[in-house]
Amino acid sequence: MFGRAVFPAAFGLLLGGAIPVAFAADFTVKPVTIPEMKAVFGQVESRTVVPARARIGGTIASIGVTEGSMVTEGAVIGRIVDDKLALKIQAAEARAQQSNSQLTKAKADLDRAKLLVAKGVTSPAALDDAQSNYDVAVNQLAADQADAAVARQQNDEGAILAPATGRVLTVPVTLGSVVLDGETIARVASGGYYLRLSLPERHAVAIHEGASVLIGGRGLSTTDSGAAKVLRPGRIAKVYPEISNGLVTADVEVSDIGDYFVGERTLVSIPIGTRNALAVPPAAVETRHGLDTVRLASGDVVSVILGEHFASNGDARVEILTGLKAGDVVAVPDAKQ
């Protein structure tokens, strides 16, 4: 144990200068329970990856997205062209026109047969034949029009549609590529992102669903002190019950993870236990000439060694490793001074 370095009040004035300081309140040092955090790598994953598929076979005539593009469900992201479909449409429309002409003639024959039967010039059998020919012409025209509609629909299905709202991960085809019906044109990550963690199995019993975690900044960046930058809080949403290769897997939900790449890694601090520590408000600590000091209510100045910063019941605290003991009363300077 290090001995506590206590400076008299007069020496404290010499160390910190003769500037008077106003104190807002006294703070009694007592043990608090803080979480024991472990930094691990979390990998960004997409909840769903949906392929945008070709609905017809043909040649890629246009591609409107690249890797990383944001798309909206139903948006046209490319087009496939099959030259045979244009000929098929022309042939179907020509048959429909022919059937329409036959229908016109059958209608005229039917009207003539009705008139002749009414005058008693021809037999009812002739009227029945004319009616039958007319019905056949009507049905043939409907069939040919349906064939033309199918051909036009196939041509319209050359448009490649985004299957979901999200970000395009890969586009495995290029302009001019020949693709088959059902082939993947692009893969879209949708449904939001989450972080997947892998921890040593010795921590399996310490982690649980619903625990709060801290997500580090993008690019594994750190602050000037060397600590990981905190981007935002998260929550352990799922702990998988199987241990593989000595690792337990857990998923972390983040409200808005931003524009991370799928597969990108970032630091995540997760609670693996708790410990007791002494802590004071950060405002109670003064740093002068490289020394961290705390002023006691008695007026003495105590040299301390600081630990990590954390929040206790919503209030900021800094851990005191040495220099204070439980029950000490610390003077906290007025923040307004």
Side-chain angles (χ1 to χ4, degrees):
M1 290 292 293
F2 294 98
R4 183 160 76 171
V6 180
F7 304 104
F11 184 75
L13 290 175
L14 292 175
L15 181 64
I19 301 175
V21 179
F23 293 91
D26 293 337
F27 179 83
T28 302
V29 179
K30 55 185 178 181
V32 294
T33 300
I34 62 176
E36 195 74 50
M37 306 298 287
K38 178 177 179 61
V40 297
F41 285 113
Q43 183 166 310
V44 179
E45 300 284 352
S46 175
R47 296 196 180 281
T48 55
V49 178
V50 186
R53 299 186 182 276
R55 295 181 291 173
I56 64 171
T59 303
I60 301 292
S62 64
I63 286 288
V65 295
T66 59
E67 289 81 354
S69 299
M70 296 299 298
V71 295
T72 304
E73 182 178 358
V76 178
I77 62 175
R79 183 166 293 278
I80 299 173
V81 174
D82 185 356
D83 294 335
K84 297 187 298 296
L85 289 178
L87 300 176
K88 187 175 181 180
I89 292 173
Q90 292 177 2
E93 291 177 344
R95 289 195 299 271
Q97 292 177 358
Q98 179 182 4
S99 297
N100 187 57
S101 299
Q102 293 175 348
L103 177 62
T104 301
K105 180 179 182 301
K107 181 65 169 60
D109 292 343
L110 177 60
D111 292 341
R112 186 180 304 107
K114 289 179 179 179
L115 181 61
L116 293 177
V117 168
K119 293 181 177 180
V121 176
T122 188
S123 64
L127 177 60
D128 293 340
D129 291 341
Q131 182 67 51
S132 177
N133 292 336
Y134 174 78
D135 294 339
V136 170
V138 169
N139 293 332
Q140 184 62 47
L141 176 60
D144 292 338
Q145 289 175 337
D147 288 342
V150 169
R152 286 191 292 268
Q153 178 63 29
Q154 287 179 332
N155 188 63
D156 292 341
E157 288 180 353
I160 306 167
L161 305 180
T165 299
R167 184 187 299 176
V168 176
L169 295 182
T170 58
V171 182
V173 298
T174 59
L175 197 65
S177 300
V178 177
V179 296
L180 300 177
D181 184 9
E183 190 169 339
T184 298
I185 307 301
R187 294 170 60 245
V188 179
S190 63
Y193 294 159
Y194 66 96
L195 292 173
R196 175 154 292 178
L197 314 178
S198 295
L199 301 101
E201 62 179 298
R202 64 178 179 274
H203 300 307
V205 297
I207 61 175
H208 59 276
E209 294 183 6
S212 297
V213 302
L214 297 177
I215 312 301
R218 189 174 187 181
L220 310 181
S221 56
T222 60
T223 61
D224 295 337
S225 64
K229 288 184 178 179
V230 175
L231 176 64
R232 58 178 60 86
R235 182 182 68 87
I236 296 180
K238 186 175 184 179
V239 179
Y240 290 86
E242 181 181 12
I243 294 178
S244 177
N245 296 324
L247 298 174
V248 60
T249 303
D251 291 343
V252 172
E253 284 186 347
V254 188
S255 58
D256 181 14
I257 203 169
D259 57 351
Y260 277 64
F261 294 104
V262 173
E264 185 174 352
R265 297 195 305 165
T266 187
L267 285 174
V268 181
S269 295
I270 67 171
I272 58 173
T274 58
R275 60 186 174 88
N276 291 328
L278 300 179
V280 298
V285 180
E286 292 184 89
T287 302
R288 298 294 178 89
H289 306 291
L291 291 177
D292 295 319
T293 61
V294 171
R295 187 182 297 272
L296 300 179
S298 63
D300 293 334
V301 178
V302 180
S303 177
V304 297
I305 297 178
L306 304 182
E308 63 180 80
H309 290 255
F310 62 94
S312 177
N313 297 324
D315 298 323
R317 295 288 184 265
V318 58
E319 182 182 4
I320 302 298
L321 299 178
T322 62
L324 294 177
K325 65 180 184 298
D328 285 344
V329 180
V330 174
V332 181
D334 190 347
K336 296 181 180 179
Q337 298 297 317

